[in-house]
């Protein structure tokens, strides 16, 4: 059974940085995507990385967020720089092959 566990969220000031981690168990590391959902908003795609380390980003985070992977650790990271208040959300990791979601990790950006 595939499981996905996120960590690394927290409270940070505007302009600060955070790195989220997504650990996958029960499967090799395939395509992984990060999504986020703010209160009252639909879940939106943020970034993804495939098994060949090709990456894609939503326009809203391009140039500020970096997705990367460590296959040996079965972990995908989301490095978030220059955080803005509008980046506040619960961030979810999604394992594409099985459709598995994690429980989410909360990011709050304060003024």
């Amino acid at each position: 059974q595939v499981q996905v566990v996120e960590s690394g969220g927290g409270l940070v000031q505007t302009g600060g940085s955070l790195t989220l981690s997504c650990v996958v168990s029960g499967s090799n590391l395939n395509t992984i995507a990060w999504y986020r959902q703010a209160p009252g908003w639909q879940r939106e795609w943020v970034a993804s990385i495939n098994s060949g380390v090709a990456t894609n980003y939503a326009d809203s985070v391009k140039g500020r967020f970096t997705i990367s992977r460590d296959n040996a650790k079965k972990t995908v990271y989301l490095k978030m720089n220059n955080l803005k208040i509008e980046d506040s959300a619960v961030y979810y990791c999604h394992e594409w092959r099985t459709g598995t979601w994690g429980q989410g990790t909360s990011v709050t950006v304060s003024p």
Side-chain angles (χ1 to χ4, degrees):
Q1 182 180 358
V2 176
Q3 290 187 320
V4 174
V5 179
E6 306 95 334
S7 63
L11 175 65
V12 64
Q13 289 187 323
T14 300
S17 298
L18 279 176
T19 299
L20 306 183
S21 298
C22 170
V23 179
V24 179
S25 60
S27 172
N28 291 327
L29 203 55
N30 298 297
T31 297
I32 297 291
W34 283 98
Y35 287 75
R36 65 186 181 187
Q37 187 169 18
W41 292 81
Q42 287 189 332
R43 191 170 297 189
E44 64 172 355
W45 170 76
V46 174
S48 58
I49 185 168
N50 68 11
S51 57
V53 301
T55 59
N56 286 285
Y57 299 92
D59 287 343
S60 58
V61 306
K62 201 171 292 183
R64 299 188 297 122
F65 290 11
T66 302
I67 190 171
S68 62
R69 62 195 289 149
D70 184 332
N71 289 333
K73 295 182 179 179
K74 292 188 178 181
T75 301
V76 171
Y77 303 98
L78 186 67
K79 172 69 171 176
M80 306 184 295
N81 294 325
N82 191 21
L83 282 162
K84 305 176 180 181
I85 291 176
E86 53 264 40
D87 294 318
S88 297
V90 177
Y91 284 71
Y92 296 91
C93 187
H94 181 252
E95 200 282 334
W96 177 84
R97 186 180 66 85
T98 61
T100 302
W101 292 90
Q103 81 290 346
T105 186
S106 180
V107 173
T108 302
V109 184
S110 63

